[in-house]
Amino acid sequence: LALGLVGHPNVGKTSVLNTLAGRKAASVSGTAGHTKHLQHIRVDEAVHDNAFILDCPGLVFPSVNSRAQAELHGLLPLAQVRETMSGVRTITEALPLARTLGLKMPEWYEDDDPWTPLSILEAYGEKHRYFIPRSGAPDIHRGGLELLKDAKDGPFLLAYEP
């Protein structure tokens, strides 16, 4: 008997494998892409005398979704994110991020300027005192990664109609 586990990255396939095997047969991580190759794990003989579980790395199929949405949903590791503006823009389309975070518009903007991903990241950097050492400018990349992580891990609920 062979049971295969297939699905998106970071959804718990290996955790299910370990539960079915009755032991920690494979390493797990909260980071997408931890399982690197197909794994064949024998099920405990008390459960079944001749069974294997096949665990494969997460599969990401071509999609109409943007790269930012894939990053927000944990399909791509946040360590590989090079720009955070698109992800922050996606979050702000779903919820009033500036109000939710209690941000104040940075002083170099006009009072009636609308919130943009850049102004949100600058205000977030100022609020949390994330500054680039030499220039003193708000560290928008660090703040952006933190917001993307919050969207991926749950403090911000991003849900979409099917």
Side-chain angles (χ1 to χ4, degrees), residues 6-106:
V6 180
H8 283 296
N10 211 30
V11 295
K13 295 180 299 295
T14 305
S15 295
V16 170
L17 174 144
N18 286 334
T19 300
L20 293 172
R23 66 187 190 285
K24 185 176 179 186
S27 171
V28 295
S29 171
T31 304
H34 184 71
T35 302
K36 302 288 185 211
H37 59 279
L38 188 65
Q39 301 180 84
H40 301 257
I41 306 296
R42 180 179 286 279
V43 174
D44 188 344
E45 289 185 11
V47 176
H48 194 282
D49 63 346
N50 190 24
F52 289 88
I53 303 170
L54 306 175
D55 183 24
C56 75
L59 303 174
V60 179
F61 297 101
S63 172
V64 296
N65 295 331
S66 67
R67 179 176 176 89
Q69 287 174 324
E71 293 165 353
L72 289 171
H73 295 119
L75 300 177
L76 300 171
L78 289 180
Q80 294 179 6
V81 173
R82 296 290 175 247
E83 69 87 18
T84 59
M85 295 281 191
S86 299
V88 171
R89 179 174 289 108
T90 300
I91 297 169
T92 60
E93 290 169 357
L95 57 101
L97 192 56
R99 189 175 73 217
T100 302
L101 297 171
L103 299 178
K104 296 179 184 171
M105 185 68 80

Side-chain angles (χ1 to χ4, degrees), residues 126-145:
E126 281 196 329
K127 180 177 181 178
H128 292 276
R129 306 183 60 76
Y130 298 156
F131 296 106
I132 298 170
R134 287 185 180 218
S135 69
D139 188 343
I140 62 173
H141 186 70
R142 179 179 176 189
L145 286 175

